[in-house]
Every structure is written in structure tokens, then in C-alpha cells.
Amino acid sequence: MRQIGGKYYSRKGLSIKQKVTIWYACMLVLIVLLLFGFILTISRNLLQRESDSRLEKIVLDFIDDIDFEYNWYELDDDIRFYEDGVIFSLYDEQGRLTAGSVPTNFPADTVLKAYSFQTFSTAGHNWSVYDAALPYGDGKILWIRGILQTETLFSVERTMFLVLLVACPLLIALALLVGYSITRRAFLPIQEIRRTAETIGAGSDLSARISTERTQGEIRQLAETFNEMFERLETSFEHERQFTSDASHELRTPVAVIISQAEYALLPDATAEEQREGLAVILEQAGKMSTLISQLLLLARADNGTQQLSMVSTDLSLLAEEAAEQCRGSALQRQIRLELEIQPDVIVEGDPESLSRVIRNLLENAIQYGRTGGFVKLTLAVREDAAVCSVQDDGIGISAEDLPRIWQRFYRADPSRNPSGSNTGLGLALVKWIVEAHHGPISAESTPGQGSCFTFRLPLHQEAP
Ligand code: ADP
């Protein structure tokens, strides 16, 4: 199916509306024809039966006007051989015409059949015949034949046929007209769906929706399904737009710092000490950019499903201890006690590098947002056939309003808590993606001012049987 000038055409070139209308009209005409045929057959049978019984009665009445003696018969004086459209002819047992007449054009070879009806047509005439056989004397038979020319009977049929001939084209025209207008009305919501999809496709208005007020049934369901899809598209576009804008904003800041530091260091009167300081700042900013870029790359790969995780049997206990060791320095700096409660030999199936990143990230956050002089506790244990790892702190905590948003990319609950600007706001988004890619849930509980606890679960490594 393709679309030309707002109409949907099937491959043969007819629009769906036209096709539906033609089908509709054809069906209607077929039904009318069948109905006409049915009525015609019934009426023909009824008329025939009525005409037969009339013919029979007239013939029997005629017989009353004949007086039979032993070996001969006598016709009444006032007998008439034409009665009520019926012509009478009398034959002897040899089939010879003895009285009455036979209409011209009536086939002379019509056999005599006692007490039965015969109906046939000859050149433009229709005949109904009824024969009565009256035995008398010694084996003699008087045949009385009543002949009815049934022009009238067939004229009814002809009239009906003429009516049909005139009515049929009118009916087709009416069916096409009414059918087309009904289909057009029925297809109006579909046109609206198309127009809205076009508007969204052109990117001019992502908030456009199909109105479902006047639609019902399947079309309403279709419109609602499209609206849901448009909703998701809009959200996804919005996320994409936000992500691109955030990413460029995050990259612009270190780039601006690097440029200004380089310009400062290149000033003719810059001392060697100032140049060294400038270079140190440039190095720090470049490092920040490198982290951000690698995080962005990882998220982009995660989004389009190209981020590879090498799933191997991994000792999570070992990874947790190593990660804690790597964070010990920064904990010490912030005078935070690092407590470990790690069950040994907790083996999961996963990507060691990514899992190590998860634990490090949670620990770094707990230390950064922890309380000076407070604690950070890393716990790892097997519970209900799963490895459960949690990182708890007694720091600033997260408000109930912020809690659901911390997993969003670039979301930082309180940017003022990060004066160095070293945080990207991508850490937890990555952590969530990694844990979920390992078929595990992750959650956070927090009370502002009292601390937070991040917990994730991973399925244990199953030994091959
Ligand atoms: P960031 O680079 O800012 O740490 P994350 O994605 O790791 O980015 O965290 C997002 C936000 O969640 C942080 O900016 C912080 O506001 C909040 N957050 C994360 N961990 C904790 C924690 N342990 N205590 C309090 N707030 C936290």
C-alpha cells in the first residue's frame, strides 16, 4: 500500500475506500438480485398453481354440460367452447378432434394426458393445458382438453424484470454513493492518525495527539495505541535531547578551563611556576573529560546494545575487597571509617571489570556524601540463593523527592556538594545498567541527614552439571 495525495492506494491503484465501496455495492446488488430471483420463483409458482386450479375448475364445469347415455353423449345446447380465457376441444379415443376448436399456433402434436397439467411455450406464446378423459359405452373415451394461453402470467414476470432493469443501475449508483460516504466517514479517524503521524514524523510538533473523542471501537483502540506510542517517542526524544544538551554542557566546562589555562600559561610574562600550575589544571580537566567521555561511550554502547560484557565465573568477594582497598585512601582523607563485612567465596557469573566498577562507584559516592568522622559499611553475603551486596553510609542522605531520580543520567541531587566539579552524574546510571545487565535488581534507601544504603542482588554462579 502506498500513499498519494492523502489517499491510501492498494497496489492495483484503487484506494481502500474505493475498494470497500465497490465490495459493498457488489454485495448489495448481489443480495438484491438473489432476493428478486427468489421472489420471482415464488410468485411464478404461486401464479402457476392458481392458474392450474382455475383451469381445472373450468374444465370440470364444462364436463357438467355433457350428458352421457350408454353409448353416446350429448352436449347441452348452450354449451360454449370458450370460457373465461379457456378454449375447449373434444377428442375421441383415437385422438381425433370431434368438437370445439384449437387455437392457431397451438402445437397439434400435444399428447393427451388424463388429469394432468402441461405447460409449455411456442413461438411467443405460453400454454397451460389440462386434459380430462371420460370413459363411456363399450370402451369409448371422450377427451376434453382445456387450453389456456398464459400471457398474463408471464407478463407479471416481464414487468418485474423491467423494474429490475431500471432499478438495478439506480441501486448500484445509490449503493456506491451511500457506501462511499459511509466508508469516508469511517476512514476519517484513520486520516487524522495519518496527519498526526506526519506532523510528528516531520518533527514539527512532538506533542501532537490524535483526538479520540469522536472515535469508537477498534479505531479508538488504534488511536490510543498510536497516542501511547507518540507519548513514548516524545519522552524518548526529550531524553535524547536532554542527554545531548547535558553531555555538551559537561564537556564545555573542562574545555573552557583548558583553553583559558593554556592561554594564561602562554602569556609572555607567565613565570615557570604559573605555567606549571596551568599545566596541572589542564591535566586535571583532561582527566575529567576522559572519564566523562568513557562513561558516555559506555552508556551509548549500552543503549544500542553493543556494550559487550564478558560473563565469566567471578569471585565477587575478591572484587569487593579490592574495590574497598582502592577507596581506602579517599575514605582516610575524609576521616571516614571503612567497615567490611564480606563473606568469602561468593561466586557470581559476570563481567569482573564492570562489577568492580559498580562496587567502587557505590563506595566513592558513600565516601563523598558521607559524614566526616562517620562510617561506610560494605557488606557482601549469600541470601536466598543470591549474592547480596550493600553499601551503607551515615552521610547527608537523599530526600524522598530526589531518590527516584538519582538513577537518571546527569542527575545530581545537590550540585553544590561537589565544588570540585569532578562528579558527572552518570555514575549511578551506569551502575544501574550494569547490575540489570547481570539480571539483578538494585535499590536505594535513604533518610536525609542520617545516611543512605544502596543494595544490589546478583544470581549466584551455577555449576555446570
Ligand atoms: P555523581 O557523579 O554526582 O556522584 P551519581 O550518578 O553517582 O553521580 O549520583 C547521582 C546523585 O545521587 C549524586 O549527585 C548525589 O546527589 C546522589 N547520591 C549518590 N550516592 C549518594 C549517597 N551515598 N549519599 C547521598 N547522595 C548520594
Side-chain angles (χ1 to χ4, degrees), residues 71-362:
N71 222 2
W72 53 279
Y73 64 87
E74 194 181 4
L75 304 172
D76 283 358
D77 292 340
D78 59 344
I79 200 159
R80 290 194 306 166
F81 288 93
Y82 181 81
E83 185 75 49
D84 224 353
V86 180
I87 297 167
F88 296 100
S89 48
L90 274 57
Y91 300 86
D92 62 13
E93 55 280 351
Q94 264 96 46
R96 283 183 305 240
L97 183 68
T98 54
S101 62
V102 175
T104 38
N105 299 324
F106 183 79
D109 56 348
T110 310
V111 279
L112 290 157
K113 281 189 186 167
Y115 303 108
S116 69
F117 296 99
Q118 296 183 68
T119 314
F120 48 88
S121 310
T122 53
H125 300 275
N126 304 301
W127 308 99
S128 272
V129 177
Y130 183 73
D131 300 323
L134 304 170
Y136 68 98
D138 299 328
K140 291 183 178 178
I141 295 174
L142 172 65
W143 285 90
I144 297 149
R145 164 166 279 178
I147 304 167
L148 176 68
Q149 203 167 346
T150 53
E151 229 75 70
T152 39
L153 177 68
F154 292 96
S155 75
V156 173
E157 279 178 17
R158 207 171 306 139
T159 316
M160 279 180 93
F161 185 72
L162 280 176
V163 169
L164 193 68
L165 215 65
V166 178
C168 217
L170 280 177
L171 196 82
I172 294 174
L174 197 75
L176 285 172
L177 214 75
V178 174
Y180 190 75
S181 86
I182 291 175
T183 338
R184 217 173 67 85
R185 276 181 67 88
F187 271 75
L188 274 181
I190 302 232
Q191 277 188 354
E192 202 191 322
I193 292 176
R194 177 182 56 75
R195 268 198 299 274
T196 315
E198 269 174 10
T199 315
I200 290 175
S204 50
D205 183 9
L206 291 179
S207 63
R209 295 289 178 274
I210 304 156
S211 150
T212 50
E213 268 169 30
R214 284 183 295 136
T215 51
Q216 288 153 9
E218 291 92 335
I219 300 282
R220 195 194 181 103
Q221 283 171 4
L222 183 70
E224 280 169 358
T225 311
F226 266 93
N227 278 345
E228 279 164 25
M229 188 183 80
F230 294 151
E231 189 78 48
R232 281 200 300 276
L233 271 179
E234 191 187 3
T235 317
S236 144
F237 278 134
E238 188 49 41
H239 278 163
E240 195 88 345
R241 202 188 56 72
Q242 187 67 42
F243 183 66
T244 318
S245 127
D246 287 345
S248 42
H249 176 78
E250 293 296 326
L251 283 169
R252 217 172 30 219
T253 316
V255 168
V257 176
I258 288 173
I259 290 172
S260 76
Q261 285 297 323
E263 282 170 351
Y264 182 62
L266 285 174
L267 284 177
D269 54 350
T271 63
E273 179 60 20
E274 283 168 344
Q275 283 178 338
R276 240 181 53 79
E277 276 173 14
L279 275 177
V281 174
I282 288 173
L283 187 66
E284 186 199 334
Q285 294 298 320
K288 214 180 291 173
M289 277 177 72
S290 162
T291 314
L292 182 65
I293 288 169
S294 73
Q295 282 181 329
L296 282 175
L297 205 67
L298 213 148
L299 278 171
R301 286 204 199 115
D303 282 347
N304 56 33
T306 50
Q307 176 60 32
Q308 297 289 329
L309 292 174
S310 52
M311 305 296 266
V312 290
S313 161
T314 306
D315 189 336
L316 198 61
S317 312
L318 222 61
L319 285 186
E321 274 171 26
E322 280 170 11
E325 217 42 59
Q326 285 165 11
C327 296
R328 203 168 281 284
S330 46
L332 214 68
Q333 245 175 18
R334 293 217 59 218
Q335 296 161 27
I336 286 176
R337 200 169 65 253
L338 198 56
E339 296 174 9
L340 305 182
E341 207 176 289
I342 299 171
Q343 181 180 325
D345 303 325
V346 177
I347 312 291
V348 295
E349 177 138 327
D351 181 44
E353 203 181 311
S354 305
L355 291 177
S356 165
R357 180 193 273 262
V358 169
I359 303 174
R360 251 184 299 130
N361 220 309
L362 294 178

Side-chain angles (χ1 to χ4, degrees), residues 381-446:
V382 173
R383 276 193 216 119
E384 292 161 10
D385 282 347
V388 182
C389 181
S390 64
V391 177
Q392 191 187 353
D393 65 68
D394 59 351
I396 58 165
I398 307 161
S399 72
E401 192 191 327
D402 286 326
L403 202 57
R405 302 200 204 135
I406 53 171
W407 312 102
Q408 288 172 12
R409 295 169 188 189
F410 295 111
Y411 189 79
R412 277 165 286 199
D414 184 4
S416 64
R417 295 283 308 190
N418 177 32
S420 68
S422 60
N423 292 351
T424 58
L426 290 175
L428 286 181
L430 271 171
V431 163
K432 188 169 161 59
W433 179 79
I434 294 170
V435 174
E436 284 174 356
H438 283 78
H439 316 291
I442 182 159
S443 59
E445 288 165 33
S446 188

